[in-house]
Amino acid sequence: MPDSAPHAAIELRAENVHRAFGARRVLNGISMTVTAGEIIAIVGASGSGKTVFLDHLIGLLTPDSGRILVADHDAPPDPSGHPPLVDIASAPTETLDRIRLHWAVVFQRNALFSGTIRDNIALLLRERGEFSDQQVDARARAAIAAARLDVADVLEKDRDELSGGMAKRAAIARAIAMDPIVIFYDEPTTGLDPVVAGNIHELIWRTHHQPVGSLFADSPAPPNPPPRTSVIITHDKDLLRRIGPRVLMLDAGRVCYDGPYHRFGGPDCPQARQYFQAMPVLHAGRPGERD
Ligand SMILES: Nc1ncnc2c1ncn2[C@@H]1O[C@H](COP(=O)(O)OP(=O)(O)OP(=O)(O)O)[C@@H](O)[C@H]1O
Ligand SMILES: [Mg+2]
């Protein structure tokens, strides 16, 4: 990965992040840099701190020590021509709110708010202030269809009327609808049947590679879109196999592997090898596999 290349634009950076809850030390010095345009999977045993780390990356939690830096795409570029990095803990609220408009998050527990799925998608889109009501509606429909939900069935349904797998896909639809620069997925395929999970792998892949601003037909592609960055927390070995991302593995609050998927499970990190072997193959052997 070109993390250290001087010309690479940085999207996210964690510097020696520590975090404890009471006596439980969850993050014990996590450092990593995500270059703009990367697709990175964060893996690790249940309880290893993946979601807590994500909450730090998006500023919902603050480190006890260490820093989280994020790219500010709306600020004048730095001397190397890239978006400047902002310390999420000390940035003014308005700056963070502005930065967050370029992000979308699929939360592990979906975090759909009370209301219809149309409302869930429309609210965030309206916050951007760029779309007419008609565009918002068209986008909501397109995003729901892309997440393999029946538009007519779910558009007006309340979140409480959805099954677990439907709610997961609604949360994915809400995120995709934003056509964001950075998209975070916390376990996007957990609870989905193998066929739908395969569709979601493809959606994640397609979304990542489509230029920002051109996911939907409703707006013209911007002239020089920033590359899209995808951060995926997952236990889904098949997703890893199909997408082949950079893999970052957390163990005991530290990064125990950070490298390409094809070397994950190799000799560098015994925990990674053990975990990789134990990871369930959820959806093996279907057509359309990338390897
Ligand atoms: N708000 C909190 N207060 C106290 N402890 C917390 C809090 N949030 C998380 N933890 C603890 O931090 C540890 C890591 O939790 P986290 O949710 O990040 O795990 P995870 O790696 O995402 O696991 P999973 O794969 O099951 O989702 C757990 O021991 C959890 O109990
Ligand atoms: Mg989690």
Side-chain angles (χ1 to χ4, degrees):
M1 288 298 140
D3 280 0
S4 56
H7 59 275
I10 291 168
E11 193 63 59
L12 303 163
R13 171 171 271 169
E15 291 179 350
N16 202 18
V17 170
H18 287 76
R19 174 69 190 221
F21 295 102
R24 168 106 171 82
R25 292 170 60 173
V26 177
L27 305 179
N28 270 318
I30 306 255
S31 296
M32 65 138 200
T33 299
V34 178
T35 302
E38 272 197 286
I39 183 160
I40 178 166
I42 300 177
V43 306
S46 211
S48 60
K50 302 180 298 297
T51 297
V52 167
F53 183 50
L54 172 68
D55 286 347
H56 282 77
L57 285 178
I58 61 178
L60 291 182
L61 290 173
T62 308
D64 295 333
S65 62
R67 297 197 303 169
I68 300 289
L69 304 172
V70 298
D72 181 358
H73 288 271
D74 296 318
D78 67 14
S80 52
H82 299 315
L85 294 179
V86 166
D87 181 342
I88 213 167
S90 57
T93 313
E94 314 83 72
T95 306
L96 277 184
D97 287 347
R98 194 181 69 208
I99 290 173
R100 285 202 182 102
L101 287 179
H102 296 298
W103 295 350
V105 187
V106 178
F107 289 96
Q108 183 165 7
R109 295 191 181 116
N110 305 320
L112 296 171
F113 43 80
S114 170
T116 65
I117 300 314
R118 182 206 292 271
D119 294 340
N120 266 273
I121 297 175
L123 187 85
L124 290 179
L125 277 175
R126 288 208 183 97
E127 257 180 51
R128 292 257 292 263
E130 298 167 25
F131 308 109
S132 66
D133 285 351
Q134 209 177 5
Q135 281 175 314
V136 166
D137 190 62
R139 239 185 216 226
R141 289 169 183 274
I144 290 169
R148 300 293 167 140
L149 285 166
D150 178 341
V151 179
D153 181 40
V154 304
L155 196 63
E156 303 303 341
K157 272 206 162 98
D158 191 86
R159 61 144 195 218
D160 298 331
E161 297 176 87
L162 302 185
S163 72
M166 288 164 82
K168 178 61 80 184
R169 280 176 281 162
I172 292 171
R174 185 175 63 177
I176 301 283
M178 298 295 285
D179 199 348
I181 297 174
V182 188
I183 187 158
F184 301 90
Y185 305 87
D186 195 347
E187 302 204 14
T189 54
T190 302
L192 301 184
D193 74 58
V195 173
V196 171
N199 295 144
I200 297 302
H201 300 158
E202 273 149 33
L203 179 61
I204 291 171
W205 176 261
R206 215 169 53 235
T207 301
H208 182 74
H209 290 283
Q210 198 115 337
V212 170
S214 67
L215 260 189
F216 299 92
D218 59 6
S219 47
N224 287 308
R228 197 180 320 267
T229 300
S230 303
V231 179
I232 313 162
I233 294 177
T234 190
H235 290 291
D236 182 346
K237 190 174 180 178
D238 198 44
L239 183 154
L240 296 180
R241 193 153 51 89
R242 297 181 77 186
I243 289 179
R246 168 183 168 192
V247 176
L248 184 107
M249 181 173 176
L250 302 187
D251 181 66
R254 294 199 169 83
V255 175
C256 83
Y257 176 83
D258 183 359
Y261 169 71
H262 69 267
R263 286 217 299 274
F264 180 56
D268 343 14
C269 165
Q271 297 96 319
R273 201 163 61 244
Q274 197 182 17
Y275 176 73
F276 187 70
Q277 282 160 3
M279 270 176 107
V281 179
L282 295 176
H283 331 286
R286 288 189 332 284
E289 296 271 353
R290 293 178 1 90
D291 57 354

